[in-house]
Amino acid sequence: MSTKKEQEQKIRELEEKIRRMEEQLERSSSGGVAGGTLRGLADIIPGLGKMLEGLEGSEAFQERLETINKEVEKRLKEASSARIDAGGVGIGIG
């Protein structure tokens, strides 16, 4: 059976894990498609993650991500409209 100190330590570890997961979720939801794509690439390309962490506080970087996200959204709408106009159902998944 666990002692009270062991239980308290386990609770602290779980609280820290939850805090890290919440931070990760917050970062993943910011930046839209462009930010998510960059974070995905950071998992593959060594050093990119640290570079992105440094850029996250940059207003110019955030503005550029927003510009990219607007362009992606615009192109997705155009592609969807083109498929519908051609008799398709929109953008298919799968």
Side-chain angles (χ1 to χ4, degrees):
M1 190 171 274
S2 298
T3 67
K4 185 172 179 160
K5 284 187 176 187
E6 289 172 334
Q7 290 174 341
E8 289 172 351
Q9 177 63 28
K10 185 68 173 173
I11 289 171
R12 282 192 296 273
E13 289 171 3
L14 290 171
E15 287 172 340
E16 178 63 21
K17 186 175 183 178
I18 290 169
R19 184 190 63 76
R20 286 192 311 267
M21 291 175 77
E22 287 173 340
E23 288 175 356
Q24 184 178 12
L25 180 61
E26 185 178 317
R27 283 193 306 266
S28 68
S29 64
S30 67
V33 173
T37 301
L38 287 173
R39 279 186 294 283
L41 288 172
D43 292 339
I44 300 169
I45 302 171
L48 183 58
K50 289 195 183 286
M51 186 172 74
L52 289 175
E53 286 176 15
L55 290 171
E56 285 178 343
S58 165
E59 187 176 320
F61 182 72
Q62 294 301 321
E63 288 174 4
R64 184 64 182 142
L65 285 180
E66 183 62 30
T67 301
I68 293 168
N69 288 328
K70 286 178 183 177
E71 183 66 22
V72 168
E73 186 176 315
K74 175 184 163 197
R75 289 184 185 208
L76 285 173
K77 285 180 183 177
E78 289 171 355
S80 180
S81 294
R83 279 192 74 175
I84 291 171
D85 291 344
V89 186
I91 296 176
I93 299 176

